[in-house]
């Protein structure tokens, strides 16, 4: 079995597994969807948490494929003694260390091979939407596609621009009205 570092490097080279860094890559397809209606950032009740889960399930299944082999990746700032967010239930082994080019600290990426199952990750997806985790993403081991939820929505990194257009057409009501897509 290949290591996360080998598999990630094949698709993304030296880019760290952080969606905000991946968006800077020229020529890589990317699209962002909002997690809630009206561009609301955080769910405030059960109905809104269910909406986050619903959208995450649809987008994750369409991009990654239900039951597909992925790496679950969670990043944290290395210098913090205790994470400021809720840690994952599964123990993730630190794999990679990245220096933040703009600040004076390092990111640690911890990884775990998993099968994409939105139901299994439902609580984690809500924690992410409520900004209770560090940057978290799922990376397809087969295709290199990345599903990166955050507090407010989902950054998707498919393999082609045609996939971006298809996703935008199917979920146009979840897109940002901003020309930048943010």
């Amino acid at each position: 079995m290949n290591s996360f570092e080998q598999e990630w490097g094949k698709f993304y080279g030296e880019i760290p597994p952080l969606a905000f860094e991946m968006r800077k890559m020229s020529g890589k397809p990317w699209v962002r969807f909002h997690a809630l209606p009206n561009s609301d950032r955080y769910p405030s009740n059960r109905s809104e948490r269910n909406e986050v889960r619903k959208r995450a399930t649809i987008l994750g299944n369409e991009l990654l494929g239900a039951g597909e082999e992925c790496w679950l990746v969670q990043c944290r700032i290395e210098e913090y003694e205790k994470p400021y967010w809720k840690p994952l239930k599964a123990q993730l082994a630190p794999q990679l260390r990245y220096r933040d080019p703009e600040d004076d600290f390092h990111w640690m990426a911890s990884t775990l091979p998993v099968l994409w199952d939105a139901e299994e990750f439902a609580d984690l997806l809500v924690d992410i939407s409520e900004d209770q985790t560090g940057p978290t993403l799922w990376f397809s081991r087969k295709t290199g596609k990345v599903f990166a939820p955050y507090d407010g929505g989902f950054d998707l990194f498919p393999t082609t621009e045609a996939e971006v257009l298809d996703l935008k057409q199917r979920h146009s009501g979840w897109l940002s009205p901003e020309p930048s897509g943010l």
Side-chain angles (χ1 to χ4, degrees):
M1 177 177 12
N2 289 335
S3 71
F4 169 78
E5 188 172 11
Q6 290 171 319
E7 292 182 15
W8 182 264
K10 183 170 81 173
F11 292 99
Y12 297 100
E14 297 295 315
I15 301 295
L18 296 159
F20 62 88
E21 293 291 342
M22 294 173 67
R23 287 195 316 263
K24 298 175 187 176
M25 297 173 19
S26 65
K28 289 286 187 178
W30 163 79
V31 62
R32 172 174 279 186
F33 294 99
H34 289 179
L36 292 167
N38 305 315
S39 303
D40 288 348
R41 185 148 191 169
Y42 303 106
S44 60
N45 57 49
R46 179 181 295 174
S47 175
E48 289 180 347
R49 283 187 283 285
N50 287 338
E51 183 67 18
V52 168
R53 285 185 194 103
K54 178 186 104 178
R55 291 184 185 194
T57 298
I58 290 168
L59 294 171
N61 286 348
E62 288 180 8
L63 185 72
L64 301 172
E68 288 298 315
E69 292 183 345
C70 296
W71 285 100
L72 171 55
V73 182
Q74 187 173 53
C75 294
R76 66 175 177 83
I77 295 172
E78 180 183 41
E79 288 76 12
Y80 287 174
E81 286 185 27
K82 294 183 180 176
Y84 61 90
W85 58 78
K86 188 185 296 184
L88 292 173
K89 290 177 184 167
Q91 182 63 33
L92 303 184
Q95 297 286 322
L96 301 172
R97 185 174 185 253
Y98 300 96
R99 184 178 187 292
D100 189 284
E102 297 174 13
D103 296 305
D104 191 28
F105 60 80
H106 291 88
W107 287 98
M108 292 299 296
S110 299
T111 64
L112 182 70
V114 298
L115 299 178
W116 168 252
D117 180 344
E119 191 172 313
E120 179 182 337
F121 300 118
D123 291 341
L124 175 57
L125 291 162
V126 170
D127 288 346
I128 294 165
S129 75
E130 294 176 340
D131 197 23
Q132 294 183 26
T133 70
T136 304
L137 59 80
W138 284 262
F139 162 61
S140 170
R141 298 183 74 178
K142 185 184 342 180
T143 64
K145 296 176 184 181
V146 172
F147 175 64
Y150 68 96
D151 57 313
F154 313 94
D155 285 336
L156 279 64
F157 299 87
T159 54
T160 67
E161 286 297 332
E163 288 175 278
V164 169
L165 293 174
D166 183 49
L167 287 162
K168 284 181 173 182
Q169 286 178 330
R170 281 188 282 165
H171 308 293
S172 60
W174 301 349
L175 292 167
S176 168
E178 297 294 321
S180 69
L182 295 174

